[in-house]
Amino acid sequence: MNTNTMYRKRLNFTLVLLLLNCTLFAQQKLISTEFVTGSFTLASTKDTAPVIVDSSDFEGVLLAADNFIKDIERVTAKSSSKRYNVEKIGSIIIGTIGKNRFIDNLIEEGNLDVNSIRNSWEAFKIQQINGNLIIAGSDKRGTIYGVYTLSEAMGVSPWYWWADVPIAKASELYVTEKMYVNPGPKVQYRGIFINDEAPALSGWAEEKFGGFNHQFYAHVFELILRLKGNYLWPAMWGKSFNDDDPQNPILADKYGIVMGTSHHEPLMRAQSEWKKYGSGEWNYNTNAKKLQEFWKTGIERMGAQESIVTVGMRGDGDEPMTEGTAISLLETIVNEQRKIIASVTQKPAEETPQLWALYKEVQDYYDQGMRVPEDITLLLADDNWGNIRKLPPLDEGNRKGGYGIYYHFDYVGGPRSYKWLNTTQISRVYEQMSLAYAYNAQKIWLVNVGDIKPMEYPTSFFLDYAWNPEAFTLSDLKAYPQKWATGQFGVTYSAEIAELLQTYSTLASRRKPELLDSETYSLDNFEEADTILKEYADLEDLALAIQQKLPETHQAAYYQLVLFPIQALANLNRMYIASAKNKRYAEQGRLSTADYGKQVEEYFEKDKKLTEKYHQLNDSKWNHMMSQTHIGYTYWQQPEENTMPSIASIIIPEAGSLGVSSAGSTDFFPEKDTLNILAFDKYHSQQTITLFNRGKKQIIYNVKNLPEWLSISSKKGALTKDLQLTLKLKKDKIPNAKTAAEFTISQGNSNTILHVVYEPIIVETAGHLEYNGIVSNPATAFTTQTGWELIPDLGVLNSAIRPIHKFSKDINPKNTVITYDFTVKKDFEGNLEFLLSPTLDFLNQGGLEFSYSLDNDEIKTLNLEKDGLQDWDEALRTNRNRIKTSLRLKAGKHTLNVYGKDPGIVLQHIVLQASSNKQESYLVPPESLVIEK
């Protein structure tokens, strides 16, 4: 028998994924720092290649060329130059087809074939021709992306300014490929929404730039383009992109950024502008004329600047419209808005890109039958927590305006605002957005990134994935953390930094920091709280070890992107667990109560110091950026200031007295005279008990009448505060039958009785073995499977599987089934619980479904919506859905089959828990031991 806690099949399954053909990241290596025969010289020890542009090209292309020249200098410390004529061989010619005479001449002469990119959206080609390097774009942004592709290949991260990412120096740079073609993105509009920007980003922008003006946005525009995005919803908390600085929209158009306004700001007018210029109520029934005038000004101001116009209407301040709002009225509003668009632009409304955001209650209007013209993009949304609410029906055909997705990494609202740190697993983004793409939501992908920082990592992933979801495999997903770490810090420690990023993301995703408190994790069961502390300690130790190895040039970026979030979240968890122990130990009368109260104070102060260190980086470049409050929430909205948890204090008597507690129970002596120790068996050969002093003076304890089949780490000794004792089975004294015994621990005349039991395993075993009435089985620890795929690094314990097929019509019990073997040691009565990612009914069918059977008996169907244990707010708080069903089993081996029925089912864990076992925890019980057949 093999008692490893993971099947070889699970390992093999993962290895198969890692060996899949990686198509996205297997690009040509464009740049070398050493000469390769046939390569083009960007920079040698003597010289740099000049950059050739055409003055009639787009301003955004000329700006990108300027940045490219700066990038060469950032890497090589050598200056290049921008020229408007080709004066020598060895030049870099940057231009857009039809806008650059050098490019057009090459095409006309037959030297440059652009059939692979001509008339494509944002495509580009990099090619060596007659000794020159050509970067040719199908359009403005295609050229810009070609330029920044080379910049990134040279080692200039898109985050070089926004996160102080170091640039590796090289004296020579060579383009090694004769030709590189990128046919353009699969998702047409890919962008970010700067939102919920106070107090952090707003305070920073005000200090550094005087507000959200064009100096600020120049950095935003460049970042978006370097990330190969093209679309922006600007900051809007009391801000107006167009009105606050009239240069903002002009600069956006120069750079090549497509502008929009948020889901509740129609016709390019910010909500704050209504407060400044509007007259009367924000109510179309009573104030239609004023609203029409207001909106008309927005379209007039837009002019020819590339934009996507939001249509529709919500209530004032991003609230729902009045209850009972008639669908016909909303349809009238959209029609009147389109008349304004047509009138001002002097062209049919359908020639101006528009979107209607089905956000919150607006989706209900759509579900009740409201429709808008076919050319308007329907922007579907998640639930503000990363769970997509609705996807397009497959039978609708090709809708001219298509569909998009509005996603969230940040949110203000119930059940709790979350703005402080990144808490998003990129694997969840992949899982949800891969479904969106499969269901033809491919027109717009937009993500709410809050303050931009500290969402650098998931923002990169979102935009990288949006470029070509079709070419992105599960092995690419697994490789992404290291790919990204390499792009920021180089290859030397990229594997370790990738581990830090991924592990942090998993720990942070379990519960938003704003939702943590002293009651989150169990002090009593499964060593949960102490396990959390160890996980964070191990993570922080690795992060600090890597920090010590990195050069000074990397320190600021490493602190921002890796170390600060790890230390900040580790510290927060320590504070709340110390608070939990402080309160519990006060109830038990422990002398150590005050120690944990002091820890709470120390961790609260450390939180301030970590923030201060962040704000002092690079001569206070990022002052204010981490000023978001995150401690002391009492309801959904953020507190005005961080508030330390309350500290329990008790009066400790002079005379010492004994207290005893045992793992797995809230009982303690002297409240209870008899304590039960968790059962022993051949696979659970040790248990712990804790002795604690309830007075100031030291005491002496004695262990008496210990059964001969047990040993204890100390039978007698002095006790000052707390002491953990370990009980172990003696291998040569293990009983042959079930055996119960009692022993005592005494101090003076005070005695506590401890009940112990040995339970032999008398049934044939296979699979996960029940212990103490629990079988805990990660979804990835299966016996056999057909039609499921493992999504790496997803779920509260990095265990997640989903059906390979993405459409219900393709899924059936024969092609999508996964089998789990398990053993219960005695007759079992209790519950079978499935823990799943909190996927919503995006098919609008009354709930997504899957099925199961036990021992190949009747197949039973479960519905995520109808059979879930929690209301949706609780599912969001815990980041999982729970479905529980009762069952009875005979002692022995059993088989559980889980069958696919709908897509979107992401199974993370399976737990069987006997009714007799009352242990509760936030996560799940540790994985049960595996007994292989």
Side-chain angles (χ1 to χ4, degrees):
M1 287 186 182
N2 184 344
T3 57
N4 290 335
T5 61
M6 186 181 296
Y7 279 141
R8 293 191 186 98
K9 287 189 176 71
R10 188 183 356 166
L11 290 171
N12 291 339
F13 189 41
T14 304
L15 288 172
V16 167
L17 289 175
L18 293 176
L19 293 172
L20 287 172
N21 179 38
C22 179
T23 57
L24 183 70
F25 298 136
Q27 297 176 357
Q28 301 102 311
K29 182 181 178 183
L30 293 175
I31 299 290
S32 172
T33 57
E34 297 179 354
F35 180 76
V36 177
T37 301
S39 61
F40 175 85
T41 304
L42 285 175
S44 68
T45 55
K46 299 178 180 179
D47 201 4
T48 59
V51 172
I52 312 301
V53 296
D54 191 319
S55 59
S56 65
D57 212 328
F58 296 101
E59 288 187 78
V61 170
L62 303 183
L63 287 168
D66 289 338
N67 281 335
F68 185 67
I69 291 169
K70 294 175 184 175
D71 289 344
I72 292 174
E73 186 170 2
R74 289 177 177 117
V75 175
T76 67
K78 300 184 187 75
S79 298
S80 181
S81 60
K82 184 171 72 175
R83 303 177 187 177
Y84 297 94
N85 287 294
V86 180
E87 299 172 355
K88 64 176 184 176
I89 293 174
S91 297
I92 306 164
I93 302 174
I94 297 172
T96 309
I97 298 170
K99 297 287 286 184
N100 182 297
R101 66 186 186 276
F102 310 112
I103 300 288
D104 292 344
N105 287 339
L106 288 169
I107 296 170
E108 187 176 340
E109 293 165 358
N111 291 319
L112 176 60
D113 182 355
V114 294
N115 288 330
S116 58
I117 65 171
R118 190 192 293 274
N119 299 322
S120 295
W121 179 266
E122 299 177 346
F124 62 91
K125 186 173 189 178
I126 301 172
Q127 184 174 347
Q128 295 184 46
I129 298 176
N130 299 330
N132 295 316
L133 184 70
I134 312 302
I135 304 175
S138 62
D139 53 21
K140 173 166 62 175
R141 281 187 295 274
T143 309
I144 293 169
Y145 295 148
V147 170
Y148 287 141
T149 294
L150 272 188
S151 286
E152 191 166 7
M154 290 191 306
V156 182
S157 165
W159 298 99
Y160 80 95
W161 190 87
W162 277 95
D164 304 312
V165 172
I167 297 170
K169 305 302 180 182
S171 59
E172 301 173 62
L173 291 172
Y174 302 94
V175 177
T176 58
E177 293 299 323
K178 292 293 186 182
M179 182 171 65
Y180 173 83
V181 179
N182 193 309
K186 297 295 184 180
V187 176
Q188 186 173 5
Y189 296 104
R190 310 161 309 282
I192 64 173
F193 178 20
I194 300 172
N195 193 215
D196 310 326
E197 61 269 18
L201 185 66
S202 59
W204 174 79
E206 185 65 35
E207 178 180 300
K208 304 303 179 184
F209 301 102
F212 290 95
N213 52 32
H214 69 279
Q215 289 99 336
F216 162 80
Y217 277 110
H219 292 289
V220 176
F221 300 153
E222 182 186 338
L223 173 67
I224 291 171
L225 292 169
R226 285 183 183 266
L227 291 170
K228 292 189 175 65
N230 59 11
Y231 182 41
L232 174 66
W233 283 3
M236 46 72 63
W237 269 24
K239 305 294 186 292
S240 169
F241 178 79
N242 297 289
D243 192 59
D244 291 345
D245 183 350
Q247 288 299 310
N248 283 344
I250 295 171
L251 192 63
D253 199 55
K254 285 181 181 179
Y255 268 86
I257 299 297
V258 183
M259 291 304 303
T261 48
S262 73
H263 53 87
H264 69 101
E265 297 178 306
L267 274 65
M268 307 304 291
R269 297 302 301 262
Q271 191 69 30
S272 64
E273 290 185 84
W274 178 255
K275 295 172 182 170
K276 187 175 180 180
Y277 302 115
S279 175
E281 293 183 298
W282 181 264
N283 186 318
Y284 200 83
N285 268 324
T286 61
N287 202 21
K289 184 177 179 181
K290 291 294 184 182
L291 284 165
Q292 289 170 6
E293 292 172 354
F294 177 73
W295 291 332
K296 181 181 178 183
T297 301
I299 301 302
E300 289 173 340
R301 185 175 57 192
M302 176 184 75
Q305 294 159 359
E306 196 174 3
S307 308
I308 303 176
V309 178
T310 298
V311 298
M313 187 175 183
R314 290 193 84 210
D316 195 12
D318 197 17
E319 294 295 328
M321 294 180 72
T322 56
E323 190 172 347
T325 297
I327 288 175
S328 60
L329 173 62
L330 289 171
E331 290 176 335
T332 297
I333 291 171
V334 172
N335 288 333
E336 291 300 322
Q337 289 171 340
R338 284 169 65 82
K339 289 179 183 178
I340 293 170
I341 293 169
S343 173
V344 173
T345 63
Q346 293 295 295
K347 58 185 181 182
E350 57 265 27
E351 294 183 18
T352 298
Q354 299 153 63
L355 68 80
W356 180 40
L358 304 188
Y359 180 70
K360 290 191 174 180
E361 83 289 342
V362 180
Q363 181 184 309
D364 298 334
Y365 302 145
Y366 179 85
D367 291 340
Q368 292 165 23
M370 179 178 171
R371 293 296 180 265
V372 296
E374 286 285 301
D375 61 277
I376 298 175
T377 301
L378 299 184
L379 188 67
L380 307 169
D382 67 359
D383 61 350
N384 304 301
W385 290 65
N387 310 300
I388 293 175
R389 297 179 65 205
K390 185 181 186 67
L391 289 176
L394 291 175
D395 58 359
E396 188 170 83
N398 292 324
R399 192 175 188 283
K400 183 180 177 182
Y403 293 86
I405 297 293
Y406 170 34
Y407 204 76
H408 286 77
F409 295 156
D410 162 288
Y411 178 59
V412 169
R416 186 65 54 88
S417 299
Y418 62 96
K419 300 168 59 180
W420 180 43
L421 297 174
N422 170 43
T423 56
T424 299
Q425 289 178 304
I426 63 168
S427 295
R428 181 59 171 170
V429 179
Y430 167 84
E431 185 270 324
Q432 288 285 281
M433 297 307 292
S434 63
L435 283 172
Y437 190 82
Y439 280 77
N440 296 318
Q442 301 174 2
K443 188 75 169 180
I444 302 170
W445 282 15
L446 177 78
V447 61
N448 185 328
V449 298
D451 300 313
I452 301 178
K453 299 176 70 64
M455 306 302 175
E456 298 96 339
Y457 177 51
T459 300
S460 289
F461 176 79
F462 187 89
L463 294 175
D464 280 343
Y465 183 50
W467 186 266
N468 191 355
E470 294 175 14
F472 195 98
T473 67
L474 285 168
S475 54
D476 294 327
L477 178 62
K478 184 67 178 176
Y480 190 86
Q482 187 165 355
K483 173 183 178 287
W484 194 80
T486 300
Q488 317 316 312
F489 302 104
V491 71
T492 305
Y493 300 108
S494 61
E496 293 88 343
I497 293 172
E499 180 184 347
L500 293 169
L501 291 168
Q502 187 280 313
T503 303
Y504 164 83
S505 297
T506 295
L507 297 182
S509 74
R510 291 172 173 175
R511 193 172 181 89
K512 307 293 187 189
E514 294 84 350
L515 282 162
L516 289 172
D517 59 32
S518 61
E519 298 180 1
T520 300
Y521 296 114
S522 174
L523 296 177
D524 308 300
N525 298 320
F526 316 117
E527 299 180 335
E528 184 177 55
D530 287 336
T531 299
I532 295 294
L533 293 177
K534 185 178 186 308
E535 287 177 327
Y536 276 108
D538 291 346
L539 185 65
E540 186 175 15
D541 286 348
L542 176 59
L544 289 169
I546 298 301
Q547 183 196 33
Q548 295 301 312
K549 298 176 182 179
L550 293 173
E552 182 61 32
T553 53
H554 292 52
Q555 293 296 326
Y558 186 75
Y559 190 75
Q560 293 167 63
L561 298 175
V562 182
L563 186 58
F564 172 79
I566 287 172
Q567 289 191 307
L569 198 54
N571 184 73
L572 191 73
N573 276 270
R574 290 173 185 140
M575 183 188 73
Y576 281 125
I577 291 174
S579 174
K581 290 183 177 181
N582 166 253
K583 292 177 174 63
R584 171 64 59 80
Y585 295 173
E587 293 170 358
Q588 295 176 341
R590 292 196 193 195
L591 175 60
S592 59
T593 298
D595 296 342
Y596 289 95
K598 184 178 180 181
Q599 285 186 22
V600 172
E601 294 174 334
E602 291 171 349
Y603 293 136
F604 185 75
E605 287 302 311
K606 185 176 180 179
D607 180 90
K608 295 179 185 178
K609 291 177 181 178
L610 290 169
T611 302
E612 288 170 0
K613 182 175 179 179
Y614 194 112
H615 289 166
Q616 292 166 2
L617 291 172
N618 285 358
D619 296 324
S620 300
K621 178 179 177 180
W622 302 112
N623 191 33
H624 301 291
M625 194 59 85
M626 285 298 118
S627 58
Q628 175 60 49
T629 55
H630 49 276
I631 303 173
Y633 277 75
T634 57
Y635 70 120
W636 69 265
Q637 183 58 285
Q638 67 188 41
E640 288 297 314
E641 59 183 9
N642 288 331
T643 305
M644 188 178 72
S646 62
I647 295 174
S649 60
I650 57 175
I651 298 174
I652 301 293
E654 286 294 326
S657 64
L658 178 67
V660 183
S661 65
S662 61
S665 173
T666 58
D667 292 344
F668 69 94
F669 173 83
E671 186 178 79
K672 296 283 183 69
D673 291 331
T674 301
L675 303 178
N676 293 314
I677 307 297
L678 292 173
F680 292 87
D681 63 31
K682 65 183 295 185
Y683 300 115
H684 300 87
S685 60
Q686 70 178 48
Q687 304 292 351
T688 60
I689 55 178
T690 299
L691 310 185
F692 52 89
N693 195 341
R694 290 160 47 86
K696 296 179 181 179
K697 290 187 177 180
Q698 189 180 78
I699 59 174
I700 304 297
Y701 66 89
N702 284 279
V703 178
K704 301 176 182 178
N705 303 318
L706 191 71
E708 64 174 359
W709 44 274
L710 284 179
S711 66
I712 194 166
S713 53
S714 173
K715 283 190 174 182
K716 182 177 181 180
L719 178 64
T720 303
K721 284 188 178 178
D722 299 339
L723 176 67
Q724 188 174 87
L725 300 181
T726 301
L727 293 161
K728 289 185 179 180
L729 275 176
K730 293 181 180 178
K731 292 182 179 180
D732 58 341
K733 299 285 186 179
I734 295 176
N736 295 320
K738 182 175 181 179
T739 303
E742 291 180 344
F743 68 95
T744 62
I745 300 178
S746 63
Q747 176 251 327
N749 295 323
S750 179
N751 294 281
T752 180
I753 300 170
L754 295 106
H755 181 80
V756 292
V757 61
Y758 173 78
E759 295 180 345
I761 299 170
I762 58 176
V763 295
E764 188 177 353
T765 60
H768 283 81
L769 177 65
E770 169 260 324
Y771 171 70
N772 196 33
I774 288 177
V775 178
S776 182
N777 197 142
T780 50
F782 54 84
T783 307
T784 61
Q785 76 87 22
T786 299
W788 295 82
E789 62 185 7
L790 180 151
I791 303 178
D793 306 323
L794 176 60
V796 296
L797 295 172
N798 288 338
S799 169
I801 58 169
R802 71 172 181 182
I804 291 174
H805 298 294
K806 293 183 173 63
F807 309 111
S808 299
K809 63 182 179 62
D810 299 326
I811 302 173
N812 62 60
K814 291 185 178 180
N815 69 14
T816 309
V817 57
I818 190 163
T819 300
Y820 301 92
D821 289 332
F822 65 94
T823 302
V824 292
K825 295 186 289 186
K826 52 189 175 184
D827 290 353
F828 181 96
E829 181 176 351
N831 293 304
L832 167 64
E833 184 172 5
F834 298 94
L835 294 102
L836 309 103
S837 294
T839 309
L840 285 163
D841 179 20
F842 59 84
L843 299 176
N844 197 29
Q845 64 180 25
L848 301 177
E849 294 182 337
F850 68 100
S851 302
Y852 76 96
S853 69
L854 281 161
D855 300 324
N856 296 311
D857 201 350
E858 176 189 2
I859 295 179
K860 299 179 181 179
T861 298
L862 295 172
N863 184 295
L864 266 63
E865 191 169 297
K866 298 173 183 175
D867 297 316
L869 292 176
Q870 308 153 296
D871 63 31
W872 193 246
D873 279 0
E874 185 59 20
L876 296 178
R877 293 185 190 102
T878 59
N879 198 21
R880 62 194 171 188
N881 202 350
R882 301 169 58 206
I883 295 180
K884 187 181 290 187
T885 183
S886 59
L887 78 164
R888 292 183 178 181
L889 298 169
K890 293 291 186 182
K893 297 186 295 182
H894 296 275
T895 296
L896 170 69
N897 289 327
V898 180
Y899 307 96
K901 192 171 182 183
D902 286 322
I905 299 296
V906 181
L907 182 60
Q908 295 188 17
H909 214 92
I910 300 163
V911 177
L912 284 83
Q913 186 162 0
S915 301
S916 58
N917 185 302
K918 306 300 182 183
Q919 290 178 288
E920 294 182 353
S921 61
Y922 177 77
L923 298 173
V924 292
E927 181 180 358
S928 301
L929 287 169
V930 174
I931 312 298
E932 288 195 351
K933 290 182 179 178

